[in-house]
Amino acid sequence: MTETHEIVVEKVKESKIGNIDFDNLTFGKTFTDHMLECTWRNGNWENPVIKPYGPIMMEPSAKVFHYGQAIFEGMKAFRDEDDNVFLFRPEDNWKRFNESAKRLAMPEVPEEIFMYGLKKLVDLDREWVRYGDGLSLYLRPFMIASENGVAAAPSTEYKFMVVMSPAFAYYRGDVRVIIASQFSRAADGGIGYAKAAGNYAASFYPNNLALEEGYQQIIWTDAASHEYLEEAGTMNIFVRIGDKLLTAPNNDRILNGVTRRSVIQLAQDKGIEVEVRKISVAEVKEAAESGELKEIFGTGTAAVIVPIKGFKHEEYTHELPVLNDSYASDIKESIKDIHYNRVEDKHGWRVKV
Ligand code: COI
């Protein structure tokens, strides 16, 4: 990677890190001292700037506020016991970011800006990456349409930014889900596979209804028939029936999760049979009734791996058993060992900062 874009660095006068209680972090609420900002103007990316984290100035007519032309990524940096700092599979996030950009008619961000900028930013705020079980620095690269004017057409100006937040895993309590039979997250030919802000906004109302019933998340099903499991919005989904691990295939409605791919690989490394195929709701309910349904778990950067304690589908409810030989726990330990540099990085997923 070459540094053809000079990065201008403007440091904070005084770090706020001394005021942070790293044992009591609420996900996504605390931000580090610095952020990265890079503007696309006149068909080019200008030089990125690293500057103190703080408000940005935009006019109310900026297109992002009207048409939701906005995408993001979720990534993490980890510190090992010897104070080395690593990113986890950052290239995969960069590639997916640009796939999202393409679908939302936004300019792609070159590798040197995304990767070099990210590394420089993490390096500058490396004290914010703490070593501790489940602790990480959550990185949030995003891009918004910043051109002023409300014509419904792609923006001619964009801001690519990165903000960073020290965090534990996203879910810290039990997670029960509703399997969707009414609302949909994504449809064929749509933007479900992209990390587009609108995908998340669209899920908030049905998710609020689920919360009112005591369920923390929704497992979305295909919009056409509501017969097949897709993903959970904040996570991809795995189902264990007997000794087999199942997950839905990628398509244009499902996010191609980096953690999902890592989990498939780690499960296969352990000799677990993984089937990437359509999973019907009927099959899950049948397996629940016969006792063959052992586990359901979600995977994602923010969430890492989250066991689902129970689910509801229409009037049917089911509680998952507590297992001594849980695939979710076993794979989670393995992925954490890689995150924190406790084992050899067989697949080349760690990138040192
Ligand atoms: C992530 O896992 O990074 C995500 O983007 C999910 C987000 C809703 C917290």
Side-chain angles (χ1 to χ4, degrees):
M1 199 183 324
T2 52
E3 186 196 352
T4 53
H5 282 87
E6 187 201 338
I7 302 186
V8 182
V9 180
E10 188 196 320
K11 288 191 191 169
V12 288
K13 291 198 175 62
E14 200 183 336
S15 173
K16 56 190 183 223
I17 198 164
N19 304 327
I20 310 301
D21 178 358
F22 281 88
D23 295 325
N24 291 296
L25 295 164
T26 303
F27 183 87
K29 277 293 189 192
T30 304
F31 290 90
T32 67
D33 288 325
H34 298 95
M35 64 184 188
L36 180 137
E37 184 177 331
C38 189
T39 302
W40 166 271
R41 201 176 275 132
N42 302 323
N44 284 307
W45 287 107
E46 297 180 348
N47 282 341
V49 181
I50 289 178
K51 57 186 184 183
Y53 175 91
I56 53 171
M57 287 276 282
M58 287 176 68
E59 289 199 22
S61 67
K63 291 196 183 215
V64 64
F65 300 132
H66 303 272
Y67 305 114
Q69 212 187 353
I71 58 168
F72 70 94
E73 267 304 318
M75 310 170 64
K76 277 179 175 170
F78 300 90
R79 178 180 289 263
D80 73 7
E81 267 185 313
D82 299 323
D83 287 338
N84 299 298
V85 171
F86 298 93
L87 302 174
F88 184 72
R89 305 188 73 170
E91 252 198 68
D92 295 51
N93 294 91
W94 166 64
K95 286 185 185 147
R96 189 173 64 187
F97 191 77
N98 281 339
E99 281 162 21
S100 300
K102 192 168 168 200
R103 181 61 181 84
L104 274 284
M106 300 168 108
E108 295 186 11
V109 177
E111 186 173 10
E112 55 166 299
I113 293 181
F114 191 98
M115 221 66 99
Y116 185 74
L118 202 70
K119 277 189 177 176
K120 194 152 178 139
L121 182 65
V122 173
D123 191 32
L124 184 63
D125 281 347
R126 64 191 296 127
E127 282 312 305
W128 291 79
V129 195
R130 294 292 168 105
Y131 180 70
D133 195 40
L135 252 177
S136 66
L137 185 63
Y138 183 73
L139 318 176
R140 179 50 74 91
F142 64 100
M143 183 172 12
I144 50 176
S146 51
E147 184 195 348
N148 303 323
V150 295
S155 179
T156 56
E157 279 186 26
Y158 295 89
K159 277 188 191 303
F160 167 64
M161 301 190 66
V162 185
V163 295
M164 313 196 292
S165 174
F168 288 99
Y170 192 72
Y171 296 100
R172 300 201 80 185
D174 287 353
V175 178
R176 289 185 170 73
V177 296
I178 289 187
I179 298 180
S181 54
Q182 181 192 0
F183 295 101
S184 301
R185 174 185 172 274
D188 289 340
I191 58 169
Y193 71 91
K195 235 168 149 52
N199 283 332
Y200 296 79
S203 72
F204 292 162
Y205 172 67
N207 215 78
N208 276 350
L209 299 181
L211 280 170
E212 280 170 21
E213 282 192 65
Y215 293 86
Q216 289 67 36
Q217 268 299 327
I218 294 175
I219 294 185
W220 299 102
T221 47
D222 66 294
S225 70
H226 290 300
E227 280 178 27
Y228 295 95
L229 304 190
E230 303 232 296
E231 61 145 293
T234 53
M235 304 181 283
N236 291 111
I237 287 295
F238 285 78
V239 177
R240 174 180 172 187
I241 296 183
D243 288 335
K244 249 187 233 169
L245 200 51
L246 314 176
T247 193
N250 288 326
N251 57 38
D252 57 3
R253 303 181 304 271
I254 299 180
L255 191 84
N256 182 3
V258 177
T259 312
R260 171 186 174 278
R261 287 204 298 281
S262 309
V263 166
I264 293 174
Q265 181 66 61
L266 292 174
Q268 286 169 340
D269 290 352
K270 290 172 188 292
I272 296 170
E273 191 181 342
V274 183
E275 277 184 13
V276 179
R277 63 157 172 85
K278 287 166 86 172
I279 309 161
S280 74
V281 180
E283 165 183 22
V284 172
K285 283 159 80 172
E286 257 169 49
E289 284 307 288
S290 70
E292 280 295 283
L293 178 66
K294 305 289 183 201
E295 293 177 74
I296 302 179
F297 57 90
T299 66
T301 297
V304 192
I305 297 182
V306 180
I308 306 298
K309 299 278 181 186
F311 71 86
K312 178 174 185 210
H313 178 251
E314 296 173 335
E315 295 316 309
Y316 181 85
T317 59
H318 182 76
E319 284 290 299
L320 274 300
V322 177
L323 303 177
N324 293 326
D325 66 338
S326 149
Y327 286 174
S329 313
D330 187 16
I331 299 168
K332 186 173 177 181
E333 281 315 302
S334 300
I335 206 164
K336 282 189 344 193
D337 284 343
I338 299 174
H339 288 159
Y340 296 112
N341 191 22
R342 298 194 282 240
V343 292
E344 185 203 344
D345 182 18
K346 273 203 316 200
H347 301 290
W349 290 341
R350 281 192 298 260
V351 173
K352 198 164 176 197
V353 176

